[in-house]
Tab-separated table of all heavy atoms in Angstrom:
chain	number	residue	atom	x	y	z
A	61	LEU	N	5.834	-15.583	-13.277
A	61	LEU	CA	4.496	-15.205	-12.913
A	61	LEU	C	4.510	-14.102	-11.845
A	61	LEU	O	3.669	-13.192	-11.837
A	61	LEU	CB	3.690	-16.412	-12.409
A	61	LEU	CG	3.251	-17.371	-13.513
A	61	LEU	CD1	2.723	-18.675	-12.915
A	61	LEU	CD2	2.162	-16.714	-14.383
A	62	ILE	N	5.443	-14.201	-10.916
A	62	ILE	CA	5.568	-13.154	-9.866
A	62	ILE	C	5.922	-11.830	-10.520
A	62	ILE	O	5.395	-10.762	-10.129
A	62	ILE	CB	6.595	-13.567	-8.807
A	62	ILE	CG1	6.065	-14.720	-7.971
A	62	ILE	CG2	6.953	-12.389	-7.918
A	62	ILE	CD1	7.039	-15.280	-6.980
A	63	GLN	N	6.780	-11.837	-11.541
A	63	GLN	CA	7.133	-10.615	-12.223
A	63	GLN	C	5.910	-10.035	-12.931
A	63	GLN	O	5.660	-8.811	-12.862
A	63	GLN	CB	8.258	-10.883	-13.237
A	63	GLN	CG	8.718	-9.646	-14.021
A	63	GLN	CD	9.224	-8.552	-13.135
A	63	GLN	OE1	9.868	-8.813	-12.110
A	63	GLN	NE2	8.924	-7.306	-13.497
A	64	GLN	N	5.116	-10.898	-13.550
A	64	GLN	CA	3.875	-10.430	-14.195
A	64	GLN	C	2.961	-9.814	-13.155
A	64	GLN	O	2.298	-8.775	-13.375
A	64	GLN	CB	3.175	-11.556	-14.885
A	64	GLN	CG	3.900	-12.116	-16.128
A	64	GLN	CD	3.192	-13.305	-16.715
A	64	GLN	OE1	1.962	-13.442	-16.617
A	64	GLN	NE2	3.938	-14.206	-17.353
A	65	ARG	N	2.876	-10.444	-11.990
A	65	ARG	CA	1.991	-9.920	-10.940
A	65	ARG	C	2.496	-8.581	-10.408
A	65	ARG	O	1.708	-7.664	-10.128
A	65	ARG	CB	1.898	-10.942	-9.784
A	65	ARG	CG	0.988	-10.512	-8.640
A	65	ARG	CD	0.859	-11.643	-7.659
A	65	ARG	NE	0.020	-11.260	-6.504
A	65	ARG	CZ	0.509	-10.777	-5.374
A	65	ARG	NH1	1.829	-10.641	-5.226
A	65	ARG	NH2	-0.304	-10.460	-4.393
A	66	THR	N	3.825	-8.467	-10.277
A	66	THR	CA	4.376	-7.188	-9.811
A	66	THR	C	4.045	-6.061	-10.789
A	66	THR	O	3.698	-4.927	-10.395
A	66	THR	CB	5.925	-7.326	-9.675
A	66	THR	OG1	6.228	-8.366	-8.723
A	66	THR	CG2	6.553	-6.024	-9.218
A	67	GLU	N	4.129	-6.350	-12.091
A	67	GLU	CA	3.778	-5.339	-13.093
A	67	GLU	C	2.309	-4.986	-13.043
A	67	GLU	O	1.907	-3.817	-13.174
A	67	GLU	CB	4.176	-5.846	-14.496
A	67	GLU	CG	5.675	-6.000	-14.689
A	67	GLU	CD	6.025	-6.745	-15.962
A	67	GLU	OE1	5.075	-7.129	-16.696
A	67	GLU	OE2	7.233	-6.935	-16.233
A	68	ALA	N	1.449	-6.035	-12.811
A	68	ALA	CA	0.013	-5.759	-12.697
A	68	ALA	C	-0.257	-4.880	-11.491
A	68	ALA	O	-1.103	-3.982	-11.571
A	68	ALA	CB	-0.728	-7.105	-12.603
A	69	ARG	N	0.412	-5.124	-10.387
A	69	ARG	CA	0.198	-4.328	-9.188
A	69	ARG	C	0.671	-2.890	-9.419
A	69	ARG	O	0.025	-1.933	-8.967
A	69	ARG	CB	0.934	-4.940	-7.994
A	69	ARG	CG	0.255	-6.215	-7.478
A	69	ARG	CD	1.172	-7.024	-6.593
A	69	ARG	NE	1.573	-6.331	-5.392
A	69	ARG	CZ	0.880	-6.293	-4.247
A	69	ARG	NH1	-0.268	-6.963	-4.191
A	69	ARG	NH2	1.313	-5.652	-3.200
A	70	ALA	N	1.782	-2.738	-10.151
A	70	ALA	CA	2.275	-1.402	-10.448
A	70	ALA	C	1.276	-0.642	-11.303
A	70	ALA	O	1.128	0.584	-11.185
A	70	ALA	CB	3.631	-1.484	-11.142
A	71	ASN	N	0.534	-1.356	-12.163
A	71	ASN	CA	-0.487	-0.744	-13.030
A	71	ASN	C	-1.876	-0.708	-12.348
A	71	ASN	O	-2.875	-0.367	-13.028
A	71	ASN	CB	-0.572	-1.515	-14.349
A	71	ASN	CG	0.686	-1.401	-15.154
A	71	ASN	OD1	1.391	-0.383	-15.110
A	71	ASN	ND2	1.007	-2.478	-15.904
A	72	LYS	N	-1.887	-1.084	-11.051
A	72	LYS	CA	-3.136	-1.124	-10.291
A	72	LYS	C	-4.188	-2.052	-10.928
A	72	LYS	O	-5.381	-1.820	-10.807
A	72	LYS	CB	-3.709	0.289	-10.111
A	72	LYS	CG	-2.778	1.260	-9.407
A	72	LYS	CD	-3.442	2.574	-9.099
A	72	LYS	CE	-2.468	3.569	-8.499
A	72	LYS	NZ	-1.741	3.078	-7.321
A	73	ASP	N	-3.672	-3.077	-11.574
A	73	ASP	CA	-4.588	-4.101	-12.141
A	73	ASP	C	-4.745	-5.181	-11.108
A	73	ASP	O	-4.162	-6.269	-11.157
A	73	ASP	CB	-3.944	-4.660	-13.443
A	73	ASP	CG	-4.924	-5.580	-14.194
A	73	ASP	OD1	-5.961	-5.949	-13.607
A	73	ASP	OD2	-4.602	-5.955	-15.327
A	74	TRP	N	-5.582	-4.884	-10.117
A	74	TRP	CA	-5.723	-5.783	-8.974
A	74	TRP	C	-6.343	-7.129	-9.352
A	74	TRP	O	-6.037	-8.169	-8.746
A	74	TRP	CB	-6.542	-5.089	-7.873
A	74	TRP	CG	-6.034	-3.741	-7.526
A	74	TRP	CD1	-6.681	-2.555	-7.645
A	74	TRP	CD2	-4.704	-3.406	-7.057
A	74	TRP	NE1	-5.893	-1.500	-7.231
A	74	TRP	CE2	-4.652	-2.023	-6.858
A	74	TRP	CE3	-3.550	-4.152	-6.759
A	74	TRP	CZ2	-3.543	-1.319	-6.421
A	74	TRP	CZ3	-2.435	-3.499	-6.297
A	74	TRP	CH2	-2.429	-2.117	-6.128
A	75	ALA	N	-7.207	-7.123	-10.342
A	75	ALA	CA	-7.830	-8.374	-10.775
A	75	ALA	C	-6.802	-9.343	-11.313
A	75	ALA	O	-6.800	-10.544	-11.006
A	75	ALA	CB	-8.920	-8.099	-11.823
A	76	GLU	N	-5.884	-8.802	-12.151
A	76	GLU	CA	-4.802	-9.663	-12.691
A	76	GLU	C	-3.860	-10.132	-11.584
A	76	GLU	O	-3.420	-11.284	-11.574
A	76	GLU	CB	-4.037	-8.902	-13.749
A	76	GLU	CG	-2.850	-9.661	-14.350
A	76	GLU	CD	-3.243	-10.926	-15.129
A	76	GLU	OE1	-4.456	-11.177	-15.304
A	76	GLU	OE2	-2.322	-11.649	-15.560
A	77	SER	N	-3.583	-9.245	-10.656
A	77	SER	CA	-2.729	-9.584	-9.524
A	77	SER	C	-3.337	-10.729	-8.733
A	77	SER	O	-2.636	-11.709	-8.407
A	77	SER	CB	-2.519	-8.369	-8.636
A	77	SER	OG	-1.861	-8.724	-7.421
A	78	ASP	N	-4.622	-10.629	-8.443
A	78	ASP	CA	-5.287	-11.693	-7.679
A	78	ASP	C	-5.375	-12.975	-8.475
A	78	ASP	O	-5.255	-14.099	-7.915
A	78	ASP	CB	-6.712	-11.245	-7.309
A	78	ASP	CG	-6.695	-10.135	-6.270
A	78	ASP	OD1	-5.629	-9.889	-5.691
A	78	ASP	OD2	-7.744	-9.511	-6.042
A	79	ARG	N	-5.575	-12.861	-9.787
A	79	ARG	CA	-5.654	-14.068	-10.638
A	79	ARG	C	-4.328	-14.852	-10.558
A	79	ARG	O	-4.349	-16.097	-10.408
A	79	ARG	CB	-5.961	-13.687	-12.089
A	79	ARG	CG	-6.182	-14.899	-12.987
A	79	ARG	CD	-6.176	-14.500	-14.439
A	79	ARG	NE	-4.840	-14.121	-14.915
A	79	ARG	CZ	-3.875	-14.998	-15.261
A	79	ARG	NH1	-4.102	-16.316	-15.175
A	79	ARG	NH2	-2.698	-14.573	-15.671
A	80	ILE	N	-3.192	-14.171	-10.656
A	80	ILE	CA	-1.910	-14.840	-10.635
A	80	ILE	C	-1.663	-15.431	-9.251
A	80	ILE	O	-1.198	-16.591	-9.131
A	80	ILE	CB	-0.790	-13.854	-11.031
A	80	ILE	CG1	-0.939	-13.422	-12.494
A	80	ILE	CG2	0.592	-14.492	-10.798
A	80	ILE	CD1	-0.006	-12.335	-12.906
A	81	ARG	N	-2.005	-14.692	-8.191
A	81	ARG	CA	-1.827	-15.227	-6.843
A	81	ARG	C	-2.652	-16.492	-6.666
A	81	ARG	O	-2.155	-17.501	-6.127
A	81	ARG	CB	-2.282	-14.156	-5.842
A	81	ARG	CG	-2.157	-14.604	-4.370
A	81	ARG	CD	-3.028	-13.751	-3.482
A	81	ARG	NE	-4.445	-13.857	-3.849
A	81	ARG	CZ	-5.357	-12.924	-3.623
A	81	ARG	NH1	-5.033	-11.777	-3.054
A	81	ARG	NH2	-6.623	-13.109	-3.989
A	82	ASP	N	-3.925	-16.457	-7.130
A	82	ASP	CA	-4.791	-17.623	-6.965
A	82	ASP	C	-4.307	-18.812	-7.808
A	82	ASP	O	-4.394	-19.977	-7.414
A	82	ASP	CB	-6.222	-17.273	-7.315
A	82	ASP	CG	-6.817	-16.274	-6.336
A	82	ASP	OD1	-6.255	-16.112	-5.234
A	82	ASP	OD2	-7.845	-15.634	-6.685
A	83	LEU	N	-3.815	-18.508	-9.002
A	83	LEU	CA	-3.303	-19.540	-9.893
A	83	LEU	C	-2.141	-20.273	-9.244
A	83	LEU	O	-2.074	-21.509	-9.248
A	83	LEU	CB	-2.852	-18.927	-11.244
A	83	LEU	CG	-2.131	-19.894	-12.187
A	83	LEU	CD1	-3.056	-20.994	-12.668
A	83	LEU	CD2	-1.593	-19.110	-13.393
A	84	LEU	N	-1.211	-19.502	-8.650
A	84	LEU	CA	-0.080	-20.119	-7.986
A	84	LEU	C	-0.476	-20.910	-6.763
A	84	LEU	O	0.065	-21.999	-6.469
A	84	LEU	CB	0.985	-19.040	-7.650
A	84	LEU	CG	1.750	-18.484	-8.860
A	84	LEU	CD1	2.562	-17.269	-8.438
A	84	LEU	CD2	2.659	-19.576	-9.446
A	85	ARG	N	-1.472	-20.379	-6.026
A	85	ARG	CA	-1.941	-21.099	-4.849
A	85	ARG	C	-2.484	-22.483	-5.253
A	85	ARG	O	-2.237	-23.487	-4.588
A	85	ARG	CB	-2.985	-20.302	-4.097
A	85	ARG	CG	-3.474	-21.038	-2.835
A	85	ARG	CD	-4.602	-20.285	-2.124
A	85	ARG	NE	-4.134	-19.054	-1.553
A	85	ARG	CZ	-4.677	-17.868	-1.801
A	85	ARG	NH1	-5.695	-17.732	-2.652
A	85	ARG	NH2	-4.229	-16.793	-1.203
A	86	GLU	N	-3.250	-22.517	-6.353
A	86	GLU	CA	-3.792	-23.760	-6.832
A	86	GLU	C	-2.674	-24.766	-7.201
A	86	GLU	O	-2.895	-25.985	-7.166
A	86	GLU	CB	-4.676	-23.526	-8.060
A	86	GLU	CG	-5.978	-22.796	-7.733
A	86	GLU	CD	-6.725	-22.377	-8.977
A	86	GLU	OE1	-6.213	-22.694	-10.107
A	86	GLU	OE2	-7.766	-21.711	-8.884
A	87	GLN	N	-1.528	-24.247	-7.571
A	87	GLN	CA	-0.401	-25.090	-7.953
A	87	GLN	C	0.556	-25.337	-6.784
A	87	GLN	O	1.636	-25.852	-6.973
A	87	GLN	CB	0.352	-24.453	-9.119
A	87	GLN	CG	-0.518	-24.323	-10.377
A	87	GLN	CD	0.217	-23.641	-11.526
A	87	GLN	OE1	1.314	-23.082	-11.356
A	87	GLN	NE2	-0.390	-23.662	-12.697
A	88	GLY	N	0.113	-24.996	-5.579
A	88	GLY	CA	0.907	-25.298	-4.388
A	88	GLY	C	1.968	-24.283	-4.058
A	88	GLY	O	2.948	-24.604	-3.388
A	89	VAL	N	1.795	-23.047	-4.501
A	89	VAL	CA	2.759	-21.985	-4.254
A	89	VAL	C	2.096	-20.827	-3.511
A	89	VAL	O	1.058	-20.320	-3.956
A	89	VAL	CB	3.378	-21.471	-5.557
A	89	VAL	CG1	4.375	-20.318	-5.285
A	89	VAL	CG2	4.092	-22.594	-6.315
A	90	ILE	N	2.653	-20.451	-2.375
A	90	ILE	CA	2.084	-19.367	-1.568
A	90	ILE	C	2.973	-18.122	-1.734
A	90	ILE	O	4.206	-18.186	-1.568
A	90	ILE	CB	2.049	-19.756	-0.058
A	90	ILE	CG1	1.213	-21.008	0.122
A	90	ILE	CG2	1.510	-18.601	0.774
A	90	ILE	CD1	-0.233	-20.879	-0.284
A	91	LEU	N	2.319	-16.981	-2.063
A	91	LEU	CA	3.026	-15.725	-2.190
A	91	LEU	C	2.873	-14.927	-0.873
A	91	LEU	O	1.815	-14.937	-0.250
A	91	LEU	CB	2.450	-14.890	-3.332
A	91	LEU	CG	2.482	-15.537	-4.714
A	91	LEU	CD1	2.021	-14.537	-5.773
A	91	LEU	CD2	3.874	-16.053	-5.068
A	92	GLU	N	3.968	-14.262	-0.493
A	92	GLU	CA	3.948	-13.456	0.730
A	92	GLU	C	4.512	-12.084	0.401
A	92	GLU	O	5.712	-11.951	0.088
A	92	GLU	CB	4.768	-14.175	1.809
A	92	GLU	CG	4.141	-15.486	2.235
A	92	GLU	CD	5.078	-16.382	3.028
A	92	GLU	OE1	6.321	-16.162	2.985
A	92	GLU	OE2	4.603	-17.297	3.704
């Protein structure tokens, strides 16, 4: 999922990046 988020950020797809970050947070994982 982090790899997917990195690709989304590279494509400036901020909505997808935020979705993955929030999804992981809900599952008890914090991204830094």
